[in-house]
Structure formats: structure tokens, C-alpha cells
């Protein structure tokens, strides 16, 4: 590693904004690298591994309290080799050591994650999350933790080695090498079990699942919408499933977790009312919520859902899309050293910025006529409906909405003059893929081409900057792409391409999708036992190699891979993709059957395996193809996969090569799984084919 700049540590040459925030700490930080690991082994010093991310509030707090303190830094430097990791760039390390923390502490972790590792083996023997500089919150001071951990390492080697052996045994027992059960019956009963479990955890008063802190859990909402759509298709619509989904979306959109001036969602609510968020805005949350609001609007037509989707997309394009096309990762929770300062208001400030009529409408709408809800200030959330305000004022609802829109625009302009939260401007492949997918779905459902243009710009960026020599890289910033990509990067991007192809066909996108599918099979598939490892076969060897099936903050990469490979397999008639999807489902089946609602994205893949969605393939001129697509989608079949391929598209792979336009013009092919009907020669015939029972 090159010699450090004056006053900096070994992080100065990194691209991660989070690591660069710590580049001038007095702590002798290293990134995760061979040099640091070799130093720990040579010096026989344990490793202090600190994992966080740039938008993390408590990461900032611990940095200011401990990592910037010379005395604490001196202690860290004397006793440990200190490694700082951005969990967004290295999700492989974060997954492993979060799981290790859970095993050691018998409780969930979080960020900042502080783990102490034995050198050479890299097995953790103690850990926690945030540690205070002085004893408080029922925790000892960080300096005391440092002294005690170092002493334990020196004086209790035998105990430490025994504990490490037990931890590695626990890792080995996780079942990541459990073979797929080829004799097992993949049953639809788990779909109903998940629906029941979601109903049990649903909060009937405020929406969402569980109590404070409340996370949106997009895969839960998506599962409920899909369950309702499937039961409606069978003539027995589960209206309660629909209610749970749309009630949750409504509560989130009206709550303080949503930015009512700028659009977009914060990560979670600290309370049970969706009122006060943890103010960081993450790309991946918004990427998952955007298409859900578009889908909910398409399902029931609630204007709130369309407006929320469009405002979120506008925020992404305005604030999170780089000039070159890629999407940035996050906005910080803090500005000027205070959490939420950018977003909250005093009552007097708002009254001074709005005219009397605007204030009289704005105040009851967003809670200014009530007590302050955030440290003596007001964080906006909807407390009165437009209908209630209009009735009280004797005005039309349209007039009230115009006044509210004018007031919001004024206050957003005022807010833009404030010191903005920091932006983590690294471009992550997986998160970009999620947003490309979200934009493509919203563009199609809302009929907003500008959203599709945004998605295609982001895709072009990824192809130009992180796709090289037949493989993806995980992250890009300041002209530098690095780190070999993970399962999520490949699976999410393949999934996104299939949504883009439904919105606007391009042969090059299909070719890219096939390359990603081949890379998944070649680089990640567990060829013996089914499913996909999180890291590629040539990734560095770590203490554990996860093969995740359950959703967390992101949908499970295995689930997305199974769904996308199933769809691509049916589109092309490629059995290798269909077989890989089935092997993944079989590998996941024991976990899926045990706890269905923790695997909602895998349930989506299972549902499409058990009941392949109708696939409409249209060959026509560009304008005519768009009209046929509108007809196909008019069925309201939520699971429909519909592609309009221009009749001049040229040679196409797989069975697509046989799906050509007819002698007399446009034609459409409708397939369900491996069964296809006779081609339709006009839109009415297409509609009839789609309405035929399975």
C-alpha cells in the first residue's frame, strides 16, 4: 500500500465516502486488505473491525466521541489492528459478522458494528454495536471494553480457541450446504401460511408489521398485493390482504417517514405512528417502495398512491441521479451535526414564509395546529385530510389542493437554502439495479416515459462503468470501479432488465440479460446442492460463505435470481434457466416451509414456478406494438408478462426466433409455462387468449 498522506491513515486512497470520513482520524485505520490482515497475524494483535455506512447517525456519534479522540485512538492503535468497512461496499463481510454478533450476543446487531477478531483465523470472539465513551445506557465505556478485550485475548487463549471452534461449528450448521431435496413436493400451501403470518403481525391501527421501530418491509406489502391479485384471478379475492397492503401504504405516505416537501422515504420510523423517522434516505428503500405505490394505484386507483410514486421518482431524478446517469446511494440523517435539522420547522418560520390563506390550510394539514413533535420543532406529517379541511373552510377540495401545492413549493424552496445532509455519492450496482427496476415498473404502470428514460440512463452507466470483461463490479465513485460484484448485483440487474424489456424492447438489453444469467450459473451457482452463493466462486475465502434465501432490508438474491431465471427461461424456452430456478426453490424449501413470511420474495418465485404467469409476446411495428400492449394490460392481470418486440428486431435467440410477425402484419403469441396458444392476429383475439382459463 502506498505511503499515507500527511495526517491521514490508510483509508485516504479509498472511494467510499464512509471510509473517507475516517481517513483523518487519529486511529490507524486500514480498509479490509491483505496488508492489515498480515499485520495482525505478524504482530499477534486482535483485529478491531468497525462496520458502518455514511448515512448512519450512530456511526457518526461513535466517530466523534471515540475515533476522533486522541486518547481512545492511541489505545486502539496500541492494542489492535483497526479495520474500517463500508457495509454497502462489502455486504459479504457485513452479513458474516452481523450473524456472528447475533450468535455471540444472542441479539440482533446493527450499525456501527464493532467486532473483535482473532488474527489469522479472523473468527470473532467479542462484539457489540455502539459503545459510549463513558459508562451509560447500561454499557461500559469504550476504553474499558478495549482494555478488557485485549486482556482476554492475551490471557485466555484456550478459552478463546474453544469459543471460536464453537462459533465455526455454528456457522457450519446453518445448512448452507444442505442439498436440494429433489423428491420434495413444492406446495402452494406456504403461500397461504405466509398470508396468515402476515395477518398475525399486521398492525390494524397504524398499518405495517410489528411495533416501533416500524420499517416499511416492502416484500411483505408486495406479497400481500400478489396474494390478493392471485385470489382475485381465481374469483375469490382476499380483500383483507388488499386492505393490509394499501392501508400500510396509505399510513406510510401520510406519515413523517415520507418527505412531504421533497418526495421520497426515510429508512424507518422510530415510533409506532410512522411520525418521526430516522432521517436517512436510502436508495434501496425508495427503489422498493416506488413500484409498490405504482402497483397499488393501478390496482385500486387511489390518487394518493400515484402522487406519492411520482413525487418519489421526481426526488430520485432530481437529487439522486448523477449527471452521468447512475443513482447515488443515500442522503445522511444529519446536517450541521444534528439529526433531522434539514427537515424540521418552527411554526414561526412557516408562518413567515406563507401568506395567511396558505398557512390556514397548511397548518391543519401537516400538524402545525398541534404540539411540536420533534425536540420543540415540527416534522411534517398529514394530520387532516383535504376533505376535512375543505369542509371546514367551505372550499372545494380542488382549491385546497392548489393552495397546499403552492405552500409546499414555497417551503421546499426555503428548505433548499439550508445546509443539506451529506450525500453518499458512490454508485452501487445492486441498488442501482433495484431503482432501474422500480423506475421501469412505475414508468409502465403510470405511463410516464421520463421515468423509463431515467432507468435507461442508469443502465447505460452501469454497462459503461461496472461491466468489464464479462463480469460486474460492485461499486463506482470518482471514475473508479472496484470490488467484484455479489449475487445481488447480478440477480437484481437481470430482474431489472426483464422489467425494462416489458417497458421498451431493445435487443441489446436481452443480450445483456442473457450474459448476466450465464454469469450467475457460472460464477455463483451451488452446482451440487442448488441455489446461489452470495459471493462468486473466485471470491476471497472468508470464514463463512452465505447462501441467503430470506429477505432482509433487500430482497433475497437467491429469490430474485430464481424469479428472474424462471421468467427468462420461459421467454427464451431455455431449460437451463428453468432448471436452475427450480433447484434454487428446492434448496430454499426447508427454510421456506418453516417460516414462509420471512421469505416473501422467494414465495413470489415459487408462485410463478407453480403457476407460470401468462406471457404475451407481440410482434408489430413500434406504434402498433404499444397499442397491443395497452390492450393486453387492460385485462388487469397483475402477473402478466408482456413484451412488444418490433417486427424489425432482427435475429433473436431461443424460441423468440420462431415468434415472427405474420404475413399480414402484427401478431401476438400467448404462453403459460411451456404451453402456447395459436397466434392472435388482432388485439381482440389477443384479449380473448389472455382471458382463457389456465
Amino acid at each position: 500500500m502506498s505511503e499515507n498522506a500527511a495526517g491521514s491513515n490508510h483509508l485516504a486512497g479509498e472511494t467510499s465516502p464512509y471510509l473517507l470520513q475516517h481517513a483523518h482520524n487519529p486511529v490507524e485505520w486500514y480498509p479490509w486488505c491483505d496488508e492489515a490482515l498480515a499485520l495482525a497475524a505478524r504482530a499477534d494483535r486482535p483485529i478491531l473491525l468497525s462496520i458502518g455506512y455514511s448515512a448512519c447517525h450512530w456511526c457518526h456519534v461513535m466517530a466523534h466521541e471515540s475515533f476522533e479522540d486522541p486518547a481512545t485512538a492511541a489505545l486502539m492503535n496500541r492494542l489492535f489492528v483497526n479495520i474500517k468497512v463500508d457495509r454497502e461496499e462489502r455486504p459479504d463481510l457485513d452479513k458474516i459478522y452481523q450473524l456472528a454478533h447475533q450468535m455471540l450476543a444472542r441479539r440482533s446487531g446493527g450499525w456501527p458494528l464493532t467486532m473483535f477478531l482473532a488474527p489469522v483465523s479472523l473468527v470473532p470472539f467479542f462484539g457489540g454495536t455502539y459503545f459510549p465513551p463513558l459508562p451509560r445506557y447500561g454499557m461500559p465505556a469504550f476504553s474499558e471494553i478495549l482494555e478488557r478485550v485485549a486482556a482476554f485475548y492475551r490471557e485466555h487463549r484456550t478459552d478463546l480457541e474453544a469459543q471460536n471452534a464453537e462459533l465455526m461449528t455454528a456457522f457450519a450448521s446453518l445448512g448452507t450446504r444442505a442439498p436440494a431435496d429433489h423428491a420434495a413436493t413444492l406446495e402452494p400451501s406456504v403461500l397461504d401460511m405466509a398470508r396468515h403470518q402476515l395477518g398475525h403481525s399486521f398492525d390494524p391501527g397504524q398499518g405495517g408489521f410489528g411495533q416501533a421501530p416500524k420499517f416499511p418491509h416492502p416484500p411483505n406489502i408486495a406479497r400481500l398485493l400478489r396474494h390478493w391479485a392471485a385470489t382475485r384471478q381465481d374469483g375469490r379475492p382476499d380483500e383483507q390482504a388488499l386492505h393490509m397492503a394499501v392501508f400500510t401504504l396509505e399510513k406510510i405516505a401520510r406519515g413523517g417517514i415520507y418527505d412531504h416537501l421533497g418526495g421520497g422515504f426515510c429508512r424507518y420510523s422510530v415510533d409506532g405512528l410512522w411520525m418521526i423517522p430516522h432521517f436517512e434516505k436510502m436508495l434501496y428503500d425508495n427503489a422498493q417502495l416506488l413500484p409498490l405505490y405504482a402497483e397499488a394505484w393501478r390496482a385500486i386507483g387511489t390518487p394518493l398512491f400515484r402522487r406519492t410514486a411520482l413525487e418519489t421518482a421526481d426526488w430520485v431524478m432530481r437529487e439522486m441521479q448523477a449527471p452521468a446517469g447512475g443513482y447515488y446511494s443515500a442522503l445522511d440523517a444529519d446536517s450541521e451535526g444534528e439529526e433531522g435539522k434539514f427537515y424540521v420547522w418552527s411554526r414561526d418560520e412557516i408562518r413567515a414564509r406563507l401568506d395567511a390563506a396558505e398557512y390556514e390550510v397548511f397548518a391543519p394539514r401537516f400538524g402545525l395546529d398541534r404540539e411540536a413533535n420533534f425536540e420543540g420543532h415540527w416534522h411534517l406529517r398529514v394530520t387532516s385530510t383535504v376533505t376535512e379541511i375543505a369542509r371546514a373552510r367551505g372550499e372545494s377540495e380542488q382549491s385546497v389542493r392548489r393552495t397546499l401545492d403552492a405552500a409546499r413549493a414555497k417551503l421546499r424552496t426555503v428548505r433548499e437554502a439550508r445546509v443539506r445532509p451529506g450525500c453518499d455519492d458512490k454508485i452501487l450496482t445492486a441498488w442501482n439495479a433495484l431503482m432501474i427496476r422500480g423506475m421501469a415498473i412505475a414508468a409502465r404502470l403510470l405511463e410516464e416515459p421520463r421515468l423509463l428514460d431515467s432507468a435507461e440512463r442508469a443502465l447505460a452507466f452501469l454497462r459503461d462503468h461496472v461491466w468489464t470483461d464479462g463480469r460486474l463490479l460492485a461499486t463506482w465513485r470518482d471514475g473508479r470501479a472496484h470490488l467484484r460484484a455479489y449475487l445481488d448485483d447480478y440477480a437484481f440487474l437481470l430482474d431489472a432488465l426483464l422489467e425494462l424489456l416489458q417497458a421498451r424492447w431493445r435487443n441489446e438489453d436481452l443480450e445483456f440479460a442473457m450474459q448476466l444469467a450465464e454469469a450467475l450459473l457460472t460464477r455463483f451457482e451451488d452446482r451440487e446442492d442448488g441455489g446461489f452463493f452470495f459471493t462468486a466462486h473466485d471470491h476471497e475465502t472468508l470464514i463463512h460463505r452465505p447462501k441467503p434465501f430470506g429477505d432482509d432490508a433487500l430482497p433475497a438474491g437467491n429469490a430474485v435470481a430464481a424469479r428472474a431465471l424462471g421468467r427468462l427461461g420461459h421467454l427464451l424456452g431455455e431449460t437451463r434457466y428453468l432448471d436452475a430456478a427450480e433447484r434454487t426453490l428446492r434448496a430454499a424449501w426447508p427454510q421456506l416451509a418453516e417460516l414462509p413470511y420471512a421469505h416473501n420474495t422467494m414465495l413470489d418465485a415459487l408462485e410463478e414456478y407453480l403457476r407460470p404467469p401468462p406471457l404475451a409476446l407481440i410482434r408489430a411495428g413500434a406504434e402498433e406494438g404499444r397499442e397491443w400492449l395497452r390492450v393486453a394490460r387492460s385485462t388487469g392481470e397483475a402477473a402478466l408478462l408482456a413484451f412488444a418486440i418490433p417486427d424489425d428486431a432482427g435475429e433473436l435467440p431461443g424460441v423468440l426466433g420462431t415468434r415472427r410477425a405474420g404475413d399480414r402484419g402484427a401478431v401476438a403469441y400467448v404462453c403459460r409455462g411451456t404451453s402456447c396458444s395459436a397466434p392472435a392476429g388482432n388485439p381482440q383475439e389477443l384479449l380473448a387468449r389472455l382471458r382463457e382459463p389456465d
Side-chain angles (χ1 to χ4, degrees), residues 341-377:
K341 185 173 183 178
F342 180 77
Y343 297 99
V344 300
W345 298 84
S346 71
R347 184 184 280 156
D348 290 342
E349 184 180 14
I350 290 181
R351 185 181 279 117
R353 298 293 184 171
L354 302 180
D355 63 37
E358 290 169 339
Y359 183 81
E360 289 171 6
V361 169
F362 192 88
R365 174 68 169 170
F366 292 111
L368 294 168
D369 59 345
R370 306 186 183 197
E371 292 296 317
N373 62 351
F374 186 76
E375 300 175 358
H377 289 75

Side-chain angles (χ1 to χ4, degrees), residues 20-36:
L20 291 173
Q21 288 169 5
H22 296 81
H24 298 285
N25 291 167
V27 178
E28 189 70 7
W29 289 118
Y30 287 83
W32 184 276
C33 62
D34 291 341
E35 181 180 354

Side-chain angles (χ1 to χ4, degrees), residues 166-232:
E166 289 179 6
L167 187 67
M168 292 305 294
T169 299
F171 271 127
S173 70
L174 290 176
T176 58
R177 294 291 296 175
D181 185 353
H182 298 287
T185 301
L186 302 180
E187 299 176 345
S189 60
V190 293
L191 302 172
D192 292 327
M193 289 170 60
R195 159 65 180 85
H196 175 75
Q197 290 168 341
L198 289 171
H200 183 73
S201 65
F202 176 68
D203 178 352
Q206 297 299 326
F209 309 92
Q211 303 304 311
K214 290 181 81 82
F215 290 80
H217 296 299
N220 293 4
I221 303 171
R223 175 93 298 269
L224 289 170
L225 286 174
R226 287 184 65 115
H227 185 86
W228 168 75
T231 56
R232 184 185 62 159

